[in-house]
Amino acid sequence: MCHFFQSPLNKTKKLIGDAGISFTNAFVASPLCCPSRASILTGKYPHNHRVINNTIEGNCSSKAWQKSEEGQTFPALLKAYAGYQTFFAGKYLNQEKNSKYYNYTLSVNGKAQKHGANYSKDYLTDVLANMSLDFLQYKSNYQPFFMMVSVPAPHSPWTAAPQYQDKFNTTKAPRDPNFNIHGKDKHWLIRQAKTPMTNSSVQFLDDAFRKRWRTLLSVDDLVEKIVTRLEVRGELDNTYIFFTSDNGYHTGQFSLPLDKRQLYEFDIRVPLMVRGPNIKPNQTSQVLVANVDLGPTVLDIAGYSVNKTQMDGMSFLPIMGKMNSSSWRTDILVEYEGEGSNVSDPACPLLGPGVSECFPDCVCEDSYNNTYACVRTVAPSANLQYCEFDDNEVFVEVYNVTADPYQLTNIAKTIEQEVLEKMNRRLMMLQSCSGQSCRTPGVYDSRYKFNPHQMFIGHSWRLNRLRQTMK
């Protein structure tokens, strides 16, 4: 019997996923808006583009970023070296205050454009859709084009279009096995979450989940409008269309009410669907791709080699055609630098300074030592996540994602010591990699060569601690 899953993105799945390829192992290099968006644009891991959070101080849209990275982003390269017309609409990095659905100001080619609260003229998702359709209508037919539409939805404040305000009324956040349970063997930030959650917390996160889905119905409409416009113009069969996101999200897993920022699958895994020339429909791929690969892939489509850039990612264009994926990479890096206030949260004085993103019942979603780096491995012989925290414990979390898809059991204390050592060395290597060195074979790759004497000039926290204790 065919079971129909309720979803706000049915048209998107039909028009992009079913018409092309869906990647089931797509991840972000960092589970937070600005570092992740910077990775998409630059093709670099956060330790190379140096955007660490959503503030100017954290290098988000800072003058230093504009000077050092912006000119090397893949859309800039498409325009400068491949003769592309380029168009961007929506949330660029994060400093532009643009996660509001009404009463916002857009920067239109540097000119301020104010919007009010009239649905037909001002609802942001629809405004972005119309600007995109205008670009497609009026662009030159004699040059190739690249268009990036970056809708803030389903970001808070989760304002649905009026026609969708009553949809999904009975929908709740998924009750997966890790929902509303204590993360007993995890980093202290996860362990501090109160279990079970209060009824009001569960109601709040269910309500947020519903509202987020409602905002996505307008995104689904936007995708349909753009695909239809390309079809009417006779350009659909000659255009690659990518659909993805900049981070995952949690609603109640391990009793964390809602946010992103954590190392678990629900925050680092994203959808990725692509249709276009020479991509057969109804394909599913399990190869490991990351958002640092989007830039190299689009440049590859334009005939511009990733080897001419400083990008850390690699083009997955060959995989969407006919390449045998056995020679594809087996691991990627995920890194995040936690944020915490240097004074205690007045609502939660017992937790002391160093935490942030706290809820009324004093469950905090971030802290300055929620700073970690992970090797995420997907290979025929291993589906593994290995993470180290930069805290006083140098806390380690390891998960066998095949046996434990909801990451209930941290196997760091029971896994073979040799595996821990190999993963630690691989993490050190990836944390100090740049460009080509980020694409070398991983621990579970048949081409991997383990050198127990190899030393890295990097910033593995464990290595630095070892050096300090040896002095």
Side-chain angles (χ1 to χ4, degrees):
M1 192 172 86
C2 180
H3 184 72
F4 177 74
F5 288 100
Q6 197 181 29
S7 162
L9 292 169
N10 288 326
K11 293 187 280 196
T12 300
K13 183 182 178 298
K14 179 170 168 274
L15 293 169
I16 303 179
D18 296 351
I21 187 166
S22 298
F23 290 89
T24 57
N25 287 310
F27 294 89
V28 293
S30 190
L32 185 63
C33 319
C34 204
S36 181
R37 286 161 183 272
S39 285
I40 291 172
L41 290 164
T42 62
K44 294 180 182 180
Y45 286 122
H47 68 266
N48 287 328
H49 63 57
R50 295 189 176 88
V51 176
I52 58 170
N53 58 40
N54 288 344
T55 66
I56 287 182
E57 300 74 48
N59 205 26
C60 179
S61 216
S62 68
K63 287 279 188 284
W65 151 269
Q66 290 164 16
K67 195 172 170 184
S68 64
E69 301 295 337
E70 202 160 49
Q72 299 302 309
T73 58
F74 78 89
L77 295 175
L78 284 176
K79 186 169 186 176
Y81 299 108
Y84 272 64
Q85 309 167 75
T86 56
F87 170 86
F88 185 95
K91 179 176 172 177
Y92 179 52
L93 288 165
N94 246 74
Q95 274 308 306
E96 308 295 328
K97 299 291 180 203
N98 49 10
S99 291
K100 291 167 72 176
Y101 296 75
Y102 294 110
N103 299 309
Y104 54 85
T105 301
L106 290 180
S107 170
V108 181
N109 292 327
K111 289 189 181 138
Q113 184 184 95
K114 287 200 166 181
H115 282 265
N118 179 331
Y119 170 70
S120 62
K121 291 193 300 194
D122 300 313
Y123 187 68
L124 180 58
T125 308
D126 294 357
V127 168
L128 298 177
N130 291 333
M131 287 179 156
S132 305
L133 296 176
D134 281 350
F135 169 73
L136 290 175
Q137 195 64 31
Y138 299 115
K139 67 179 177 57
S140 162
N141 291 332
Y142 301 102
Q143 280 175 287
F145 75 93
F146 171 76
M147 180 168 94
M148 188 166 175
V149 188
S150 183
V151 287
H155 205 284
S156 61
W158 316 311
T159 312
Q163 68 270 31
Y164 296 138
Q165 278 168 0
D166 296 322
K167 298 288 184 186
F168 304 123
N169 275 341
T170 59
T171 301
K172 291 182 173 180
R175 291 334 195 230
D176 290 331
N178 54 11
F179 180 82
N180 202 10
I181 65 161
H182 181 56
K184 58 183 186 308
D185 49 11
K186 294 175 166 47
H187 189 241
W188 78 268
L189 185 68
I190 310 301
R191 296 197 306 267
Q192 57 88 33
K194 293 178 173 60
T195 307
M197 291 181 286
T198 61
N199 287 344
S200 60
S201 281
V202 174
Q203 278 180 336
F204 177 70
L205 67 88
D206 276 338
D207 189 45
F209 189 87
R210 276 190 288 277
K211 287 177 173 173
R212 285 165 62 80
W213 268 30
R214 288 169 187 150
T215 68
L216 286 173
L217 289 169
S218 295
V219 177
D220 208 32
D221 292 340
L222 173 147
V223 170
E224 182 184 44
K225 287 172 192 167
I226 288 174
V227 171
T228 303
R229 178 61 55 91
L230 287 167
E231 193 169 26
V232 167
R233 290 179 56 82
E235 294 177 320
L236 183 59
D237 293 340
N238 197 31
T239 303
Y240 288 90
I241 306 175
F242 293 71
F243 181 90
T244 190
S245 180
D246 58 350
N247 49 254
Y249 204 71
H250 57 259
T251 42
Q253 292 95 324
F254 302 126
S255 301
L256 297 168
L258 49 94
D259 197 29
K260 46 250 182 174
R261 296 179 166 85
Q262 310 307 338
L263 59 85
Y264 307 103
E265 295 283 283
F266 43 74
D267 283 0
I268 64 173
R269 194 179 268 279
V270 289
L272 175 59
M273 302 181 276
V274 191
R275 69 172 289 169
N278 303 317
I279 300 177
K280 293 193 178 77
N282 294 304
Q283 286 191 82
T284 302
S285 174
Q286 295 176 343
V287 300
L288 177 64
V289 290
N291 60 353
V292 292
D293 301 329
L294 292 167
T297 304
V298 176
L299 289 174
D300 194 4
I301 288 168
Y304 192 87
S305 169
V306 68
N307 295 328
K308 291 187 189 170
T309 73
Q310 296 176 323
M311 293 182 177
D312 303 330
M314 51 201 291
S315 167
F316 54 85
L317 180 61
I319 286 196
M320 298 193 287
K322 297 194 176 71
M323 181 181 117
N324 179 353
S325 59
S326 62
S327 58
W328 185 252
R329 66 127 97 78
T330 56
D331 62 14
I332 54 151
L333 175 68
V334 179
E335 45 194 355
Y336 176 68
E337 190 152 329
E339 291 180 81
S341 169
N342 51 15
V343 294
S344 293
D345 188 310
C348 309
L350 292 177
L351 283 171
V355 294
S356 63
E357 308 295 326
C358 296
F359 280 82
D361 54 358
C362 294
V363 173
C364 299
E365 293 270 6
D366 206 6
S367 67
Y368 73 90
N369 66 0
N370 182 38
T371 295
Y372 57 80
C374 307
V375 182
R376 183 68 180 87
T377 300
V378 176
S381 59
N383 185 4
L384 199 71
Q385 186 167 13
Y386 172 91
C387 302
E388 289 180 15
F389 281 85
D390 182 14
D391 62 7
N392 292 336
E393 307 174 88
V394 192
F395 197 81
V396 176
E397 294 190 28
V398 185
Y399 298 96
N400 176 346
V401 187
T402 301
D404 180 20
Y406 296 100
Q407 297 172 300
L408 303 175
T409 307
N410 178 8
I411 56 172
K413 291 191 168 74
T414 56
I415 198 168
E416 299 91 340
Q417 189 62 32
E418 185 193 3
V419 174
L420 281 179
E421 284 178 20
K422 281 183 177 178
M423 297 309 286
N424 168 247
R425 284 174 183 275
R426 181 63 179 164
L427 180 62
M428 284 190 251
M429 202 292 285
L430 286 173
Q431 279 186 281
S432 54
C433 78
S434 179
Q436 178 61 41
S437 63
C438 299
R439 304 191 281 271
T440 56
V443 170
Y444 288 91
D445 190 311
S446 57
R447 298 163 295 177
Y448 176 74
K449 291 181 174 55
F450 178 53
N451 176 1
H453 305 296
Q454 189 173 15
M455 294 298 277
F456 296 102
I457 303 163
H459 56 264
S460 169
W461 307 303
R462 175 164 291 180
L463 188 68
N464 290 340
R465 295 272 154 71
L466 284 171
R467 284 183 182 138
Q468 284 161 14
T469 54
M470 287 159 67
K471 278 178 186 170

